[in-house]
Amino acid sequence: MTGTTRSLAPLAGAWKQAFHLATDGSGSYGKGLNLARNGAVAQIHTQPGRISAAIAAKKATHQAAIHLPELTAAHWDTLAARLADDPQAVADLVANRIPATIADSGHAGGISIVPSADSITFSCSCPTGRAHRVCDHSAALGHAVAERLTTTPSALLGARGMTARALAAHVRDLVDGADPGPLPADTNGTVRAAQLYSLAAHRPPQDSPDLDLDTVSPLTYSDAPLSGPGAQDMARMTADAAARARALLAGTAAAPHDELADILRILASPDGADYLAAAQRATDIPDATLRAMMIGYRHGGPAGAHTTLAPIPATPDVLEKARESVHASRAARLGTITIEGNAITDTTAGVQIRPGPDGRWYPFTLWRADEWRPAPGACGDPAEAFRAARRARAARPLRR
């Protein structure tokens, strides 16, 4: 578990409590948990006052939403002022991390990011949801939001009326040109490099030393000195290095990490889209393919990215056994399972699985025409990977 996950655990816990109370003892709370665990919740969308997602359940897809009140401008000003007075919070925000302070209203100027239970309401396209009562689908969305909050509060911040990026900019404006104080240390007494660079960027410049120029030999250069990386690039480099170090220490680093996988790792980061044009020039891979590979990397690391670019060659025997496993696992055996180009495809259902370089099968869904998009759920069992593709396909409409 990373430091970010630990620091945001109180926020996720507070949301779970408020969301549970808002369901008022409905049996949908437990049913929604099962749906969320089975991957029924598609991409979560956030807008002021609303969190929504498509939920796949019982061969149908419903549009569920959770409604919550926005914070006022005065509330955000109070929160930003409190964060600006906290050197640790300033360091985290400048390094594109959300500070743990935001999870505790007692340390955030009395402002609670999590709304009260009685202010949370539900809606859905199903009959129960149309009556504005909690249903299995809106409950599944609530559980998915809780899982999301263990790593990032962006969904909740956006629904309350301000994005994480806008909040960071608000705090930067308050501390611009001010000395944020002494460099904070973690609980174990260490100082993160990202804090060092981000805090130094906000310290006022030091007065120039009083030099006797008559006794100092002038410096000459044959070439102008190279400029160093900018503060934003330095913050991104530091955050990326820290994330890779944590993965190595936890034994979860994905392999293989070749040059192309490293490019996709950067693109899949929160600010990676800024480098998409440069990546396209460096790799000669079309923009649309790179975007699909970004999704593949997020779902399956380097192996997911490479499998999105092209299936890994497999022997006819391996492909045939996988096809038979998929065919036997289907309850309603409609459509034809075919083997084409090292991929196993159900054209009727619009789903496909591909073998990856790590021995797992990767699910894909038909996006538009003959374009396939990666889906979550890579697995060593081809039948299970095929079921993951079917779940993703139910939640993802076909683009024309």
Side-chain angles (χ1 to χ4, degrees):
M1 182 178 290
T2 66
T4 301
T5 302
R6 284 196 300 270
S7 66
L8 293 176
L11 187 67
W15 167 259
K16 287 180 181 179
Q17 183 179 25
F19 160 62
H20 190 192
L21 291 173
T23 62
D24 198 24
S26 171
S28 291
Y29 181 86
K31 295 177 182 178
L33 178 60
N34 290 331
L35 283 175
R37 286 176 173 173
N38 289 330
V41 182
Q43 183 176 359
I44 296 175
H45 300 279
T46 299
Q47 62 188 81
R50 174 186 171 96
I51 303 173
S52 61
I55 314 295
K58 294 183 178 179
K59 300 182 180 180
T61 300
H62 294 282
Q63 300 296 325
I66 297 176
H67 308 270
L68 50 159
E70 298 178 50
L71 291 174
T72 66
H75 288 149
W76 288 115
D77 288 343
T78 300
L79 176 60
R82 178 62 186 86
L83 295 177
D85 287 337
D86 182 347
Q88 178 69 68
V90 173
D92 286 337
L93 284 166
V94 175
N96 295 320
R97 290 189 304 270
I98 296 300
T101 305
I102 206 170
D104 185 351
S105 62
H107 293 283
I111 305 301
S112 177
I113 296 300
V114 176
S116 61
D118 57 6
S119 66
I120 299 175
T121 58
F122 307 91
S123 67
C124 184
S125 59
C126 72
T128 301
R130 284 198 291 270
H132 295 283
R133 299 197 309 270
V134 64
C135 61
D136 298 353
H137 317 111
S138 56
L141 174 58
H143 287 294
V145 170
E147 179 64 25
R148 173 77 66 85
L149 291 178
T150 60
T151 55
T152 173
S154 57
L156 195 52
L157 284 172
R160 296 286 262 166
M162 183 174 289
T163 65
R165 188 182 297 273
L167 177 60
H170 194 358
V171 173
R172 284 192 184 98
D173 289 341
L174 294 176
V175 301
D176 189 27
D179 188 343
L183 190 67
D186 288 339
T187 54
N188 62 2
T190 62
V191 175
R192 293 195 296 268
Q195 296 170 343
L196 176 63
Y197 289 116
S198 59
L199 282 173
H202 288 285
R203 288 204 167 103
Q206 300 296 317
D207 294 334
S208 301
D210 186 13
L211 298 176
D212 184 356
L213 298 181
D214 292 334
T215 62
V216 177
S217 299
L219 298 177
T220 58
Y221 296 97
S222 56
D223 294 297
L226 296 176
S227 60
Q232 185 180 42
D233 288 336
M234 184 67 74
R236 288 172 174 170
M237 291 164 59
T238 306
D240 179 65
R244 297 189 70 184
R246 285 195 298 267
L248 289 170
L249 291 172
T252 58
H257 247 297
D258 55 17
E259 182 177 352
L260 180 58
D262 268 335
I263 291 174
L264 269 298
R265 173 178 56 81
I266 294 171
L267 293 181
S269 66
D271 297 307
D274 296 344
Y275 301 102
L276 194 59
Q280 197 279 327
R281 291 192 297 269
T283 62
D284 288 328
I285 297 175
D287 179 271
T289 303
L290 281 175
R291 290 181 183 275
M293 293 175 71
M294 286 167 56
I295 300 172
Y297 189 96
R298 288 170 180 153
H299 290 326
H306 280 289
T307 309
T308 302
L309 182 62
I312 302 304
T315 65
D317 182 58
V318 168
L319 292 169
E320 181 58 32
K321 286 183 178 179
R323 190 193 71 82
E324 292 176 356
S325 175
V326 169
H327 184 73
S329 69
R330 295 188 302 163
R333 300 181 182 180
L334 302 176
T336 303
I337 305 296
T338 61
I339 299 175
E340 299 177 358
N342 288 301
I344 297 173
T345 307
D346 183 340
T347 305
T348 303
V351 296
Q352 181 182 96
I353 58 173
R354 302 177 182 179
D358 56 354
R360 297 193 296 171
W361 291 88
Y362 284 80
F364 288 78
T365 64
L366 188 61
W367 182 245
R368 57 164 69 89
D370 59 350
E371 183 180 347
W372 295 88
R373 283 290 177 92
C379 181
D381 180 1
E384 181 58 35
F386 186 83
R387 284 191 287 270
R390 290 294 299 268
R391 289 194 297 269
R393 183 67 184 85
R396 177 183 293 168
L398 180 63
R399 293 294 183 92
R400 298 296 182 184

